[in-house]
Amino acid sequence: MVIRCVKNFMIRNMGQKIGRNLKNFRSKGSSALSITWIALVFFSLQSSANESKFDQANQLFEQGEFETSIHEYKALLSSGIQTSAVHFNLGNAYFRQDNTGMAIYHYLMAQTLDPRDADILANLKFTRDSAGLPSRGIVSSWRHWIRILPLNMWFILTLTPLWGFCLLKAIHFLTASRKMEGLRSMLGWMIIPSVCMLAFLTWSVSSQHTGVVIKDQAPLHTSPFTDSKTLGKMKAGEEVLLLAEKNQWKQIRNTQGELGWLEMNQLKAIPAH
């Protein structure tokens, strides 16, 4: 298992935020600049504290103190440090404790934040295979292809024709130039198909909600009642489609296509991404 470091990620993003703040306040006088420097010191201290906690959790993991490292990683998540690295390492710690359900859950959470990370994909596949679960989970092949990129990236790519058309139209309006008229016309014809594609991508991501069974031998019921007939037992780490909710129950469909109900405390939902 790989231990990943979040330090460079945090410093890079913090530098970008501070740079934007300095740029915005540069012309607003010394008081504004003082506020910026106070914010700089505050965020730097906060960043250092989070890095220290992350390093401490990693050291505990390397020392075999998996239970304690899990506590530290979860504390980072609770404090708002929702990064793929924290979820990834937390998944590693759960894996070392033979807690397949929680390991797969946190690998999937890491994947929602960094869909193309090779380490996440490798550990996720290895854990599924080790537990005798489907290597690709429950998401269909074409949805896997869509999730290669986050939805915001698909938004940018699919609306490129619209932005290009508007830019060329503005240039034509300002300069009365007929150059690139063919390109502008082509981009205009591409707008409707690209918007339709964006709508389809948005629907495909938002319409399918998945979850992970976190308790081994979780009973799958025919209806949302504890005394209802049991269809079978589900393994920890099984991924399911979430269809409906009633009281403290979730209606699910598993990889075998079976439809049933699980108690909410026996699974965790994965946010759409």
Side-chain angles (χ1 to χ4, degrees), residues 191-202:
I191 290 174
I192 293 179
S194 65
V195 170
C196 291
M197 183 177 181
L198 177 61
F200 169 75
L201 292 170
T202 303

Side-chain angles (χ1 to χ4, degrees), residues 106-244:
H106 283 287
Y107 288 146
L108 289 172
M109 289 296 294
Q111 188 182 33
T112 64
L113 298 168
D114 195 352
R116 293 176 291 174
D117 186 277
D119 291 330
I120 296 171
L121 297 175
N123 283 16
L124 183 55
K125 183 178 184 303
F126 180 80
T127 306
R128 286 167 172 164
D129 292 344
S130 299
L133 300 170
S135 297
R136 298 183 66 88
I138 197 167
V139 179
S140 59
S141 298
W142 64 273
R143 288 182 188 269
H144 269 291
W145 180 82
I146 289 174
R147 293 184 181 188
I148 289 174
L149 294 176
L151 187 59
N152 58 348
M153 287 301 299
W154 284 119
F155 178 85
I156 293 171
L157 291 174
T158 53
L159 291 187
T160 297
L162 174 62
W163 296 338
F165 176 82
C166 291
L167 176 62
L168 294 179
K169 192 71 174 177
I171 292 173
H172 173 71
F173 178 78
L174 294 173
T175 65
S177 173
R178 300 185 65 87
K179 292 182 179 179
M180 297 186 290
E181 186 174 351
L183 177 59
R184 186 175 74 247
S185 177
M186 181 184 70
L187 291 174
W189 282 104
M190 291 174 62
I191 290 174
I192 293 179
S194 65
V195 170
C196 291
M197 183 177 181
L198 177 61
F200 169 75
L201 292 170
T202 303
W203 169 83
S204 68
V205 170
S206 61
S207 65
Q208 189 177 71
H209 303 280
T210 61
V212 181
V213 179
I214 59 173
K215 292 188 178 180
D216 202 26
Q217 300 300 304
L220 181 63
H221 291 264
T222 56
S223 57
F225 304 99
T226 53
D227 58 352
S228 62
K229 181 181 177 181
T230 301
L231 297 172
K233 303 288 186 180
M234 300 199 66
K235 296 171 65 176
E238 280 195 70
E239 294 162 58
V240 297
L241 297 179
L242 305 179
L243 305 176

